[in-house]
């Protein structure tokens, strides 16, 4: 191989690393579509053949699959103190005792 081929292969390898955010986003989209297609099939089948459990299962699976598409926001639950600050923002604190 020539030197330019080695450089191209190195660039290609660097672009497809799992640490690359583009790779992670693309992988997550493929996973979401893979989960969404059977969910939609279950929903349609549950609607065509009047079967409530299949329809409900398809709806739940579709909701979980659609959630995978939204990968821009970080998934972090707020801590207890952050939730408390958010709930008590703008409210007066406890006053002085009697």
């Amino acid at each position: 191989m020539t030197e330019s081929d080695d450089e191209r292969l190195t660039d290609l390898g660097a672009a497809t690393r799992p640490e690359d955010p583009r790779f992670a986003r693309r992988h997550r989209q493929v996973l979401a579509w893979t989960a969404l297609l059977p969910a939609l099939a279950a929903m349609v089948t549950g609607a065509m053949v009047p079967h409530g459990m299949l329809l409900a299962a398809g709806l739940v699976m579709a909701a979980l699959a659609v959630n995978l598409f939204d990968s821009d926001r970080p998934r972090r639950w707020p801590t207890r103190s952050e939730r408390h600050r958010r709930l008590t923002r703008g409210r007066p604190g406890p006053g002085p005792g009697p």
Side-chain angles (χ1 to χ4, degrees):
M1 275 200 256
T2 65
E3 194 170 317
S4 63
D5 289 339
D6 289 339
E7 290 174 6
R8 274 190 269 166
L9 287 174
T10 304
D11 292 341
L12 182 62
T16 58
R17 280 200 184 117
E19 296 89 24
D20 189 13
R22 292 176 295 163
F23 178 79
R25 185 176 14 238
R26 180 71 180 149
H27 177 68
R28 195 169 174 99
Q29 285 178 348
V30 168
L31 177 66
W33 278 110
T34 304
L36 188 62
L37 291 177
L40 291 177
M43 280 177 28
V44 169
T45 305
M48 298 297 281
V49 177
H51 197 280
M53 285 298 284
L54 186 58
L55 181 62
L59 285 170
V60 169
M61 289 184 338
L64 293 174
V66 166
N67 193 28
L68 292 175
F69 279 110
D70 188 22
S71 64
D72 291 337
R73 292 182 292 140
R75 303 282 187 237
R76 187 182 73 80
W77 292 97
T79 62
R80 182 178 294 215
S81 61
E82 289 172 340
R83 286 193 307 259
H84 179 70
R85 271 190 302 239
R86 190 179 310 146
L87 291 174
T88 59
R89 190 178 314 157
R91 293 184 188 168

